[in-house]
Amino acid sequence: MPRQLRTPAGVKSANGRGPGSTRRLPILSDVAHEAAVSLTTASRALDPDSTHPVADRTRARILAVAARLAYRPNPMARALRTRRVPTIAIVVHDISDPYFAEIVRGATAAASARGFLTVVCSSDRDPMTELQYVEMLCLSRVSGVIFAGGGLDEAQYRQRMSGYARSIAHYGGAIVALAPRSEHWPAEVPANRTGARLVTEHLLSLGHVRIAMISGPSTLFTSRERELGYLGAMKAAGVEPRIERADFTIAGGADATARLLSAGPPTAMFVASDTMALGALAEMRRRGIGVPSYVSVAGFDDIPGLEFIDPRLTTVHVPMAELGAAGVARLLRHLDDGDLNTRTNHHPVQLVVRESTGRPREVSLY
Amino acid sequence: MPRQLRTPAGVKSANGRGPGSTRRLPILSDVAHEAAVSLTTASRALDPDSTHPVADRTRARILAVAARLAYRPNPMARALRTRRVPTIAIVVHDISDPYFAEIVRGATAAASARGFLTVVCSSDRDPMTELQYVEMLCLSRVSGVIFAGGGLDEAQYRQRMSGYARSIAHYGGAIVALAPRSEHWPAEVPANRTGARLVTEHLLSLGHVRIAMISGPSTLFTSRERELGYLGAMKAAGVEPRIERADFTIAGGADATARLLSAGPPTAMFVASDTMALGALAEMRRRGIGVPSYVSVAGFDDIPGLEFIDPRLTTVHVPMAELGAAGVARLLRHLDDGDLNTRTNHHPVQLVVRESTGRPREVSLY
DNA sequence: TTGAAAGCGCTAACAC
DNA sequence: GTGTTAGCGCTTTCAA
């Protein structure tokens, strides 16, 4: 349809498609036409970060028309030109896990404040699913991708991931990690090692010697960092470490606890995430084992809702929402100012002692 | 830059931008050129749901080239043409609430299986924030919007919302509700009224008479439906109802419980969401009130993780992930088959009796 | 300081 | 069955 014959915006369309139909959204040419300027000038006046000069009177006129028509630029048309959609993606391992839900909450709030939409991709802890999502994101030309979960140390995964990352960098997209990864990406991560050290030292100071750790998969960098803190504190105290592995889920935490209890049960357990600690607590209850009377349990993350489980869990507070917001801020610094710094910022964590840890039991369990 | 001079895909760009740089992504004209066909034919052969005939030999040749070049259509260009981005938005009240997290999990899985990205917009229970998000979605021309949370019965909200909805319908976008609303949109909702009736009848059958309800804001349609079930059962039993209101948060549930307990405490409480019930339980514990020995508490939703709180909560199971998936399926039926049916499908719920409800106390609390 | 014109990559109406 | 052509709405040279 030639431009001239098009029904102008703000005028009821002649062939209204029934009662639900309404006027079409105004486009740039509507504004330009009404303000009696060219498309170019209208575009420049409306673009907040255009450096091209526009006469004050002209600009004022254009802005007035735009406001009256409630004009908003079409993001797709703009994206086609600028080669990037105003969307930020956040890739998480499991959106149902309160840890990731909190990060997403912080990130979406920060992103929407800047006019960015946030896409959430939850892989349900399957690396292949995660890679598929990243491929989709890459094809969609999202402005940036935030990886909330830790990376995997597995050849094929790393290779495909770095291929996508290169592709994203190629079209000018930004990448930020909120957990440790092998890739050298800009990162905003919690002080995992320090936190693990603090919590282990807390258990040691209570008099525990047989302190086991329930960690995540050995291929996950987050597991490794938390193990490092635990191992360091154990070594410094001259006591023997013991690591059992799970998959960062509640059920996994329960299973690992069962294994730990059936072979020389420890007097204290440091669980690498609160979610797994919930599973540990459930397994204890199922077996009638008192916490902390028989076994002390400490978690990591300080997820919301912890005040409602019994006993209240000793853990390491990670500023999840702030981490999400910091990730978005970092991403925007790349997009806005071309900041390509790949420094890793460590966010401080804090030991929160509650009711699930206490002095070691006097009697043996068996 | 004229097409002819452009660096072909698959050939290292002459002005590579450093080590991170790589060849540019292939575009349709690359495929068409290599396969020696026109853009149109290439487009048709590559579009899985194009009805236009293409010779088998030609199609095979085009597909082979596309595969070799790892060609993927540019979603932005396609969107500009089709006037819709391959993205589904899901609007929730609070992504940190496990109820919504589960719905989102179900929806994203279903959407990505069909090549759609899912945008999550969490309003943190602020109607104005929600409206802002919907405006953004509308401008972004997302293919569809799923409203996971219930609607508000408030004039200005309803007016702005229906304006956006009209706008979305106008460009061919779909809308689906997963909770009751005044707008006549296609809906997939839990059987709120039935669930509330079932749980109230359960409490009545245990011998309770003084059964209070903690509901949500009176302007929220979800609150109303659940109240209707409660009121119906109470009336049928000939006993006096009592409703206290909160805001569907943990803290709100705790506050409402405090108010309830300080003025003629009931022997049983039906709380309109598990999240609020968590707050109720916390308030009871703070006051040293036994559950269910002194007061029975029942929730609604059956959010994940409930097996780890003490006492285990009696509630009404809502199939959250299925609701999310059903919402996506409904949306795609609109998009694919033009199904504009606005029927409301009620998803069955189920009473789950656990440990937080029991027979009424013999002794008075005060 | 303004504007004309050329696309971004794709789809669809209309030939042939 | 295939190709030509005209845009989708916007940004951005380049020229005035």
Side-chain angles (χ1 to χ4, degrees), chain A residues 88-117:
Chain A
I88 290 175
I90 179 156
V91 179
V92 301
H93 288 165
D94 182 6
I95 187 63
S96 297
D97 187 325
Y99 177 74
F100 290 114
E102 270 297 292
I103 288 183
V104 166
R105 214 169 56 79
T108 50
S112 77
R114 284 288 312 273
F116 281 78
L117 240 31

Side-chain angles (χ1 to χ4, degrees), chain A residues 182-207:
Chain A
S182 61
E183 299 91 354
H184 284 219
W185 294 339
E188 303 283 329
V189 306
N192 286 319
R193 196 166 165 173
T194 305
R197 182 174 54 73
L198 289 175
V199 73
T200 310
E201 285 170 356
H202 162 67
L203 295 170
L204 287 164
S205 75
L206 284 170

Side-chain angles (χ1 to χ4, degrees), chain A residues 71-138:
Chain A
Y71 166 77
R72 309 304 302 273
N74 179 324
M76 297 177 299
R78 168 172 265 167
L80 188 57
R81 271 309 259 170
T82 61
R83 323 182 62 90
R84 231 190 279 140
V85 296
T87 296
I88 290 175
I90 179 156
V91 179
V92 301
H93 288 165
D94 182 6
I95 187 63
S96 297
D97 187 325
Y99 177 74
F100 290 114
E102 270 297 292
I103 288 183
V104 166
R105 214 169 56 79
T108 50
S112 77
R114 284 288 312 273
F116 281 78
L117 240 31
T118 311
V119 168
V120 176
C121 302
S122 178
S123 66
D124 276 336
R125 305 196 176 278
D126 175 26
M128 285 304 130
T129 306
E130 183 177 303
L131 286 167
Q132 262 171 264
Y133 269 124
V134 178
E135 180 176 12
M136 269 177 82
L137 295 173
C138 182

Side-chain angles (χ1 to χ4, degrees), chain B:
Chain B
M1 198 198 306
R3 173 66 43 82
Q4 290 76 2
L5 292 182
R6 189 168 175 170
T7 310
V11 170
K12 199 94 180 183
S13 162
N15 64 341
R17 305 175 200 175
S21 162
T22 182
R23 47 208 70 175
R24 72 166 172 78
L25 297 174
I27 63 177
L28 187 60
S29 65
D30 295 323
V31 178
H33 188 249
E34 295 240 350
V37 290
S38 69
L39 280 175
T40 318
T41 305
S43 172
R44 292 202 271 245
L46 259 16
D47 182 355
D49 36 46
S50 161
T51 59
H52 202 102
V54 174
D56 286 350
R57 282 200 44 184
T58 315
R59 161 170 278 123
R61 190 156 32 95
I62 295 168
L63 290 178
V65 172
R68 182 160 54 73
L69 262 40
Y71 166 77
R72 308 306 303 271
N74 179 325
M76 297 177 298
R78 169 173 263 166
L80 187 57
R81 204 56 182 116
T82 61
R83 321 181 64 92
R84 231 190 281 140
V85 296
T87 296
I88 290 176
I90 179 156
V91 179
V92 302
H93 287 165
D94 180 7
I95 187 62
S96 297
D97 187 323
Y99 177 74
F100 290 114
E102 270 298 291
I103 289 183
V104 166
R105 215 169 56 78
T108 49
S112 76
R114 283 287 312 271
F116 281 79
L117 240 31
T118 311
V119 168
V120 177
C121 302
S122 177
S123 66
D124 276 335
R125 305 195 177 279
D126 175 26
M128 284 304 130
T129 305
E130 182 176 305
L131 286 167
Q132 262 171 264
Y133 269 124
V134 177
E135 181 176 12
M136 268 176 83
L137 295 173
C138 181
L139 295 170
S140 304
R141 312 291 204 286
V142 294
S143 292
V145 182
I146 295 178
F147 288 87
L152 211 63
D153 189 11
E154 197 269 302
Q156 214 201 326
Y157 172 90
R158 288 174 59 165
Q159 193 185 327
R160 281 188 60 188
M161 191 57 92
S162 59
Y164 296 137
R166 233 173 301 133
S167 198
I168 292 169
H170 189 246
Y171 68 68
I175 293 184
V176 171
L178 301 186
R181 303 196 138 248
S182 60
E183 299 91 353
H184 284 220
W185 294 339
E188 303 285 329
V189 306
N192 287 319
R193 195 167 165 172
T194 306
R197 181 174 54 71
L198 289 175
V199 72
T200 309
E201 285 171 357
H202 161 67
L203 294 170
L204 286 164
S205 75
L206 284 170
H208 292 277
V209 175
R210 280 157 55 205
I211 305 171
M213 172 176 182
I214 295 182
S215 184
S218 62
T219 45
L220 220 49
F221 288 100
T222 304
S223 310
R224 294 196 193 164
E225 289 199 349
R226 295 185 181 177
E227 285 167 29
L228 245 33
Y230 163 77
L231 292 171
M234 293 294 272
K235 186 167 186 185
V239 295
E240 203 60 35
R242 177 174 172 198
I243 293 180
E244 194 66 48
R245 294 191 183 286
D247 60 357
F248 277 119
T249 67
I250 298 189
D255 291 351
T257 303
R259 291 197 299 277
L260 224 40
L261 292 175
S262 51
T267 64
M269 287 167 37
F270 160 42
V271 190
S273 84
D274 289 347
T275 304
M276 289 197 294
L278 254 28
L281 255 24
E283 183 63 24
M284 303 287 195
R285 187 162 347 122
R286 200 170 302 137
R287 293 176 175 235
I289 295 177
V291 176
S293 54
Y294 277 92
V295 181
S296 285
V297 175
F300 206 112
D301 294 339
D302 198 19
I303 56 175
L306 234 39
E307 54 273 45
F308 305 100
I309 70 132
D310 189 42
R312 292 176 59 236
L313 192 69
T314 291
T315 189
V316 175
H317 178 78
V318 173
M320 294 156 281
E322 290 89 326
L323 223 47
V328 170
R330 187 78 183 271
L331 212 127
L332 293 176
R333 276 204 297 284
H334 175 161
L335 261 25
D336 296 343
D337 316 336
D339 177 5
L340 292 169
N341 195 321
T342 59
R343 185 184 57 249
T344 293
N345 289 328
H346 291 270
H347 290 246
V349 299
Q350 209 169 349
L351 178 68
V352 184
V353 178
R354 291 201 272 245
E355 303 158 5
S356 66
T357 49
R359 304 198 58 78
R361 61 178 177 267
E362 304 292 319
V363 251
S364 168
L365 196 55
Y366 294 94

Side-chain angles (χ1 to χ4, degrees), chain A residues 205-229:
Chain A
S205 75
L206 284 170
H208 291 277
V209 174
R210 278 157 57 206
I211 306 171
M213 172 177 183
I214 294 183
S215 185
S218 62
T219 45
L220 221 47
F221 288 100
T222 303
S223 311
R224 294 196 193 165
E225 289 199 350
R226 296 187 181 176
E227 284 167 29
L228 245 32

